[in-house]
Amino acid sequence: MEPTPEQSPHHAYPDHWEADVVLRDGGTARIRPITTDDAERLVSFYEQVSDESKYYRFFAPYPRLSARDVHRFTHHDYVDRVGLAVTIGGEFIATVRYDRIDGQGRPASAPADEAEVAFLVQDAHQGRGVASALLEHIAAVARERGIRRFAAEVLPANNKMIKVFRDAGFTQQRSFEDGSVHLTLDLEPTAESLAVQRAREQRAEARSVQRLLAPGSVAVIGVGRAPGGVGRSVLRNLLGSGFTGRAYAVNTSFDAGTGTVEGVPAHRSVSEIGEQVDLAVVAVPADRVPAVVADCGESGVQGLVVLSAGYAERGAEGRERQRELVRQARSYGMRIIGPNAFGIINTAPEVRLNASLAPESPKAGRIGLFTQSGAIGIAVLAGLHRRSAGLSAFISAGNRADVSGNDFLQYWYEDPGTDVALLYLESLGNPRKFTRLARRTAAVKPVVVVKGARHSGTNPPGHAVPVSRIPDATVSALMRQAGVIRVDTVTEMVDVGVLLAGQPLPDGPRVAILGNSESLGLLTYDACLAEGLRPRPPRDLTTVASPQDFRNALAEALADRTCDAVIVTAIPWVGEDGEAETGDGEVLAAALREAAATGPAKPVAVVHVEMGGLAQALAAATSTAAPPANRPSGPGPQAPSAAPGAPGGSAARILAPASDGRTGAPGDPAPSTTRAPGHPAASPGRALAAEGAPSPGRAPVSEAAPSPGRPAPDAGRIPAYPAAERAVRALAEAVKYAQWRRQAATPGKVPEFLDDTIDEHGTAALIGRLLGPDPDPRGRPLTHDEACELLAGYGIAVRPALPAPDPEAAVAAAGQLGYPVALKTTAPHLRHRADLGGVRLDLAGENALRRAYDELTDLLGTPAELRPVVQAMAPRGVDTVVRASIDAAAGAVLSFGLAGAPSELLGDTAHRLVPATDRDAAELIRSIKAAPVLFGWRGSAPADTAALEELLLRVSRLVDDHPEVVSAALEPVVVATHGLTVLGASVRLAPPPARSDLGPRRLPSY
């Protein structure tokens, strides 16, 4: 919205304050500055506010606004007087205003840093979190305008408004004066205010996803009058899934007398339905979508699944059409999956939603799947179906212009029906937020990611999001730091997913291998070593082993305290007539299940060769439905007994199947079980079906009785793999994830460096001087001396290097520094290139120095070209490199490697997000492949890794405290047996990029 000419030209309309937000109930609204064009909207809004709310706002009866009031509340300078409005459908539902005041409460201008603030929320929208969202945004606006405190007068009876201020997390003071509560809020963000903001964000975004996945009614728009077509197919799939809500067919071309289509009511528009429609599936040409969205918005539809193509995947015109689609839908409070989506599926028995182009719903299970590609979604669904693995939900988001993988991480974090989250991503719209959400979710359940378009350097067609320039290897390292299981293919994603969904997490990397083929056992052993596991020598049961032999061997391996997981290998039996026996798959599967059910809780995987019957038997007898949740397993912190925010603080108890096929009543003892790695609880709609019941994804329960401390036989599904490498890779990912979970239980700390070696304020002042009052947005590199001065403010000393423009200057510099010295070129094309002969070391005297100077200039060029410097020799050690850089999308990244070929040629570099903890620094050093060089490789003296870790933490602290430091490189850093020496440093300063993760909540707008 543009300003009118009446507004001050000195304070243009601040369009960057506009934001779409998700409210507490999952609906969306728009926050924007109030302009002079809003007079009629303001009056209409005020007329819909109750007398009680007006009294709370003005402390007196105030039935209507005067012309003077309307002028005052719509004319702002956007500095000392600011008003924001929350709109839905273009109409106001709430307003907030601040006026800058001085110490006596009178109107003022800067440098006064206090403002009086007041809110008004329409009664029909109270309780939706509107005021809380407004407070976040008006506080951010005030901080931008130099205001540090809010003052508010609230009547004691206005408990809702007092609670909004009290729960915001800001430092505040309260007093009772003249019959009202006087509140003063310090607007500087605190750890508590940020935690409150993120908790509200999580609840709101999770609720918005829940509204999409569990609608009470669905309208399919674009259903053809004749069989065939996308709309008709979606409607048939919806009805075929047994959707428990109401369904409607909509098409503007229906005849007036069309009563039903596919047995459901048919209408020409959503507005004609006359009943609440929660979700609309849009399958019409792109040019007709705007009219459909308007019809849905005016009819109160809560969400859209847009299958229509013709948007950002079609170029610039399509991108603008996509932006307009999102703007239009959000203006009505609706969220969108798509456009160009494949659809959504929810297998919960109380919903049974298949609003997709998949003709058959997957089995119900504990895996959540999100993809940005319909084709990949189809492939993963097929792969899970072949493995008889069930899903809790499936989402194929297409261009994901609105709802993204981040939203579903918010939802799955507290969804008791999902134990494992699988995501196929082609772009990351907000990498900072993804990393934060993935870390939190991975602490309670596994998150498995396949990243497509890794090396293209651009986003796939249709993905109108910022492009991150950080290398894929860095992205992978940052995902690992957040606990994400990063795999390369969708096949690996399925392999890892089925293992994690049905088996407990391993306690360590020790693996027992047993089977009836020595060769297959050796292949498995080699694969374990290649994946960093610690396999025991394979146990060969010989080709004559019976299923009972397998059972006994598996039971022994599980009982062995020196092993953490078991891989069973199996080949077909050969009968006396020389023919392969194929009928024993079910018998062997039963034997393995019995052993796994009666032994200690450890993961078991099966590798088979040409034994499809075994894999089918293992899959057919079990499912990924939820086990009874009364015994945790796996390492690390266990999931809470209820999802965060669950009503009553506890999740619904899973009803255990009774022996006679009935469902046990509450209070009946349930069999002891092992949980899958995620949330253990199940909602009532996901309770285990009774034995023999036709519940999706549920097979009859084995009659074998569980032993104490073990799950019922169907609780843990044994995954089968046709190749040893696939099984071992899946197990290795589970081992690494389990280790991360254990470490996440006691996270590292960011050191405070309480000594006087860090001067944060002095460094900030130095940066201000170096950038100047009007800095170049592109930034500027620092000179050597400037970089040294900046780094010294954080206790990082760079060894002096004196310029040597001629031999005499070189000799003088060496005399000042003391022999032995090094002579180095600093020309950009020779910097850090000892292999090109640009460095001469250990020059013990003047003659050696002059000779080296002559050699350099004769070989490589004139002194003016080479820019030689003289530097005192450092103690011998390992040459390393420490870097930090800021990516506008991903944030600040700390990197480490050995200098030269290991990092530059082989890419052996490790990365961590800033701020790094003490544990991050230790892992950073140890995670590169060349790390043994630092720890006494081949009899060499170990390097001082403690000093190196401290240096990493200081660099991390520097770029975290001062985002203007957009890049810093220390190269080389020579790490000796005692201490280290920084021989070279380069720093670049620039105005800091915006931190979208620290501002008020807002939906992305691309």
Side-chain angles (χ1 to χ4, degrees):
M1 180 173 295
E2 295 298 325
T4 67
E6 298 176 52
Q7 292 173 309
S8 169
H10 301 292
H11 306 298
Y13 178 82
D15 54 7
H16 64 286
W17 293 352
E18 295 182 354
D20 294 312
V21 297
V22 183
L23 302 177
R24 183 181 300 158
D25 61 359
T28 64
R30 186 161 186 79
I31 296 177
R32 64 167 177 82
I34 297 174
T35 74
T36 56
D37 289 335
D38 290 321
E40 292 185 7
R41 294 185 185 90
L42 181 65
V43 171
S44 175
F45 157 72
Y46 194 77
E47 289 174 350
Q48 299 177 62
V49 175
S50 70
D51 291 339
E52 181 183 48
S53 294
K54 294 174 182 176
Y55 186 88
Y56 284 154
R57 170 63 176 86
F58 293 103
F59 290 23
Y62 215 88
R64 64 186 58 84
L65 295 175
S66 66
R68 182 178 179 181
D69 292 329
V70 173
H71 183 276
R72 175 170 172 254
F73 292 144
T74 56
H75 286 69
H76 306 93
D77 62 9
Y78 301 128
V79 177
D80 300 325
R81 302 180 307 282
V82 172
L84 301 181
V86 182
T87 68
I88 295 179
E91 299 301 320
F92 286 9
I93 67 166
T95 63
V96 65
R97 174 185 172 90
Y98 80 64
D99 293 88
R100 195 188 299 257
I101 58 176
D102 60 18
Q104 287 72 45
R106 297 173 301 196
S109 297
D113 61 358
E114 185 171 339
E116 188 175 30
V117 66
F119 296 76
L120 185 59
V121 180
Q122 208 173 83
D123 296 68
H125 294 278
Q126 292 179 9
R128 300 184 64 195
V130 176
S132 298
L134 263 182
L135 177 56
E136 290 179 19
H137 282 262
I138 195 68
V141 168
R143 288 194 297 268
E144 180 182 329
R145 296 310 196 201
I147 293 172
R148 297 292 172 257
R149 291 181 305 282
F150 272 162
E153 299 289 338
V154 186
L155 289 175
N158 193 356
N159 293 318
K160 291 181 180 178
M161 199 65 240
I162 293 175
K163 189 175 188 300
V164 168
F165 287 120
R166 185 186 67 225
D167 294 346
F170 293 118
T171 302
Q172 58 185 270
Q173 295 177 343
R174 283 187 288 174
S175 61
F176 189 77
E177 302 174 8
D178 299 327
S180 65
V181 178
H182 181 79
L183 293 158
T184 302
L185 277 72
D186 186 341
L187 300 184
E188 185 66 25
T190 65
E192 183 182 356
S193 69
L194 188 59
V196 168
Q197 177 179 313
R198 289 177 174 173
R200 287 172 173 165
E201 174 191 63
Q202 188 276 323
R203 289 192 297 268
E205 293 180 359
R207 175 59 180 153
S208 72
V209 170
Q210 185 182 36
R211 298 203 321 177
L212 293 166
L213 286 178
S217 53
V218 176
V220 182
I221 303 172
V223 174
R225 289 173 291 181
V230 173
R232 192 78 171 234
S233 298
V234 172
L235 180 60
R236 297 190 68 175
N237 296 342
L238 178 69
L239 300 176
S241 66
F243 177 55
T244 59
R246 303 182 306 279
Y248 305 96
V250 177
N251 191 327
T252 56
S253 299
F254 284 155
D255 297 329
T258 304
T260 62
V261 173
E262 300 287 349
V264 303
H267 300 274
R268 287 184 290 188
S269 67
V270 175
S271 59
E272 286 186 4
I273 294 175
E275 297 180 354
Q276 173 64 40
V277 174
D278 298 328
L279 178 69
V281 182
V282 181
V284 301
D287 60 350
R288 291 173 50 195
V289 170
V292 168
V293 174
D295 180 33
C296 291
E298 297 293 341
S299 303
V301 174
Q302 296 180 348
L304 305 173
V305 177
V306 181
L307 308 183
S308 311
Y311 289 90
E313 77 278 6
R314 299 288 178 86
E317 183 179 349
R319 279 194 294 273
E320 184 54 40
R321 184 183 297 121
Q322 183 167 298
R323 293 188 185 102
E324 182 55 37
L325 168 65
V326 174
R327 284 194 291 264
Q328 185 185 15
R330 288 179 179 173
S331 72
Y332 288 107
M334 298 184 293
R335 300 210 68 184
I336 297 176
I337 290 180
N340 198 26
F342 188 75
I344 60 176
I345 297 174
N346 182 0
T347 63
E350 70 273 20
V351 180
R352 296 200 298 272
L353 171 74
N354 181 3
S356 77
L357 293 171
E360 183 178 352
S361 292
K363 296 179 180 180
R366 314 287 298 173
I367 299 174
L369 172 62
F370 175 90
T371 78
Q372 292 179 356
S373 162
I376 296 298
I378 294 170
V380 177
L381 285 176
L384 291 169
H385 177 74
R386 286 192 299 269
R387 308 285 283 274
S388 293
L391 290 177
S392 60
F394 164 74
I395 307 94
S396 178
N399 294 0
R400 69 140 190 78
D402 180 24
V403 177
S404 69
N406 285 349
D407 295 286
F408 281 91
L409 283 177
Q410 299 275 40
Y411 172 73
W412 282 327
Y413 168 67
E414 63 176 8
D415 176 31
T418 301
D419 284 341
V420 181
L422 308 183
L423 298 95
Y424 171 77
L425 305 175
E426 292 178 342
S427 61
L428 295 174
N430 189 339
R432 290 179 194 253
K433 184 175 179 180
F434 174 81
T435 303
R436 170 169 57 86
L437 299 185
R439 178 189 291 272
R440 185 190 60 189
T441 304
V444 294
K445 59 186 68 175
V447 177
V448 187
V449 171
V450 175
K451 178 70 169 61
R454 292 178 292 170
H455 305 296
S456 65
T458 60
N459 289 323
H463 292 223
V465 300
V467 177
S468 176
R469 300 300 180 185
I470 58 178
D472 180 69
T474 306
V475 174
S476 183
L478 301 184
M479 285 189 179
R480 292 285 184 185
Q481 182 187 3
V484 173
I485 301 171
R486 170 80 182 270
V487 294
D488 294 329
T489 68
V490 293
T491 300
E492 291 178 5
M493 180 169 69
V494 172
D495 286 345
V496 175
V498 296
L499 176 71
L500 292 171
Q503 294 294 303
L505 293 177
D507 287 333
R510 302 169 300 180
V511 181
I513 303 169
L514 60 93
N516 62 350
S517 167
E518 181 180 12
S519 298
L520 188 54
L522 290 174
L523 285 174
T524 305
Y525 181 88
D526 291 342
C528 286
L529 290 176
E531 292 294 335
L533 301 178
R534 292 165 52 191
R536 295 171 50 187
R539 179 177 177 182
D540 182 17
L541 303 180
T542 75
T543 56
V544 299
S546 67
Q548 185 63 29
D549 294 330
F550 272 88
R551 182 202 179 285
N552 294 340
L554 177 57
E556 291 177 17
L558 291 172
D560 187 346
R561 295 187 177 182
T562 65
C563 96
D564 305 306
V566 182
I567 297 178
V568 178
T569 63
I571 62 173
W573 286 268
V574 178
E576 295 180 357
D577 57 359
E579 295 293 329
E581 297 286 348
T582 59
D584 286 338
E586 294 184 3
V587 179
L588 177 56
L592 295 177
R593 289 195 306 273
E594 184 179 358
T598 56
K602 298 177 183 178
V604 178
V606 172
V607 177
H608 65 91
V609 175
E610 297 300 328
M611 292 190 69
L614 172 61
Q616 293 174 6
L618 287 171
T622 58
S623 74
T624 53
N630 64 341
R631 179 179 179 269
S633 72
Q638 293 301 321
S641 60
S650 62
R653 176 179 175 267
I654 299 175
L655 304 181
S659 58
D660 61 356
R662 296 177 291 104
T663 300
D668 292 346
S672 179
T673 72
T674 298
R675 293 180 190 150
H679 275 295
S683 63
R686 295 195 184 277
L688 294 182
E691 181 179 345
S695 173
R698 176 66 175 163
V701 181
S702 169
E703 294 181 0
S707 67
R710 275 298 294 178
D714 61 329
R717 181 179 184 276
I718 301 177
Y721 301 87
E725 295 78 11
R726 289 174 58 180
V728 170
R729 192 173 296 119
L731 180 59
E733 295 295 351
V735 168
K736 287 183 281 190
Y737 170 68
Q739 181 182 15
W740 182 89
R741 279 273 291 268
R742 287 192 294 270
Q743 293 176 346
T746 54
K749 298 179 180 179
V750 178
E752 292 294 333
F753 292 110
L754 297 179
D755 55 24
D756 58 0
T757 59
I758 287 184
D759 182 5
E760 182 177 347
H761 297 295
T763 303
L766 174 62
I767 290 173
R769 293 196 301 272
L770 293 174
L771 282 176
D774 187 21
D776 186 337
R778 296 170 299 179
R780 55 159 294 211
L782 300 188
T783 66
H784 176 75
D785 291 341
E786 290 171 340
C788 291
E789 183 182 2
L790 179 70
L791 294 169
Y794 274 69
I796 302 170
V798 181
R799 178 152 291 207
L802 302 180
D806 54 56
E808 300 307 321
V811 171
Q816 180 179 343
L817 297 172
Y819 290 97
V821 296
L823 178 66
K824 304 188 296 184
T825 63
T826 60
H829 66 289
L830 296 172
R831 192 176 181 85
H832 307 308
R833 292 298 307 273
D835 56 310
L836 297 181
V839 179
R840 296 292 190 273
L841 302 176
D842 285 321
L843 305 176
E846 179 178 340
N847 291 336
L849 177 58
R850 289 182 181 276
R851 186 166 53 251
Y853 199 100
D854 292 340
E855 291 174 355
L856 277 182
T857 53
D858 291 343
L859 179 65
L860 299 175
T862 67
E865 295 171 330
L866 301 182
R867 306 177 196 173
V869 296
V870 174
Q871 195 171 45
M873 285 295 298
R876 294 286 185 179
V878 181
D879 289 358
T880 66
V881 57
V882 174
R883 293 190 178 96
S885 61
I886 294 182
D887 180 84
V893 178
L894 182 67
S895 305
F896 170 76
L898 298 192
S903 58
E904 296 178 15
L905 179 63
L906 303 178
D908 187 17
T909 305
H911 313 274
R912 290 295 185 274
L913 284 175
V914 169
T917 66
D918 51 1
R919 176 175 291 165
D920 290 331
E923 291 176 352
L924 200 60
I925 294 171
R926 291 159 177 80
S927 58
I928 60 174
K929 294 178 182 177
V933 174
L934 295 164
F935 294 92
W937 181 62
R938 300 182 69 176
S940 62
D944 189 348
T945 54
L948 185 56
E949 290 171 17
E950 180 180 332
L951 176 66
L952 288 165
L953 291 169
R954 289 182 181 275
V955 173
S956 170
R957 172 77 181 272
L958 170 66
V959 296
D960 189 46
D961 288 348
H962 307 285
E964 299 88 351
V965 182
V966 294
S967 70
L970 309 183
E971 183 179 6
V973 177
V974 182
V975 189
T977 304
H978 300 288
L980 55 78
T981 307
V982 180
L983 297 182
S986 61
V987 177
R988 185 176 185 85
L989 300 182
R995 290 289 302 270
S996 59
D997 57 327
L998 294 181
R1001 291 174 283 160
R1002 64 171 60 213
L1003 289 171
S1005 179
Y1006 304 124

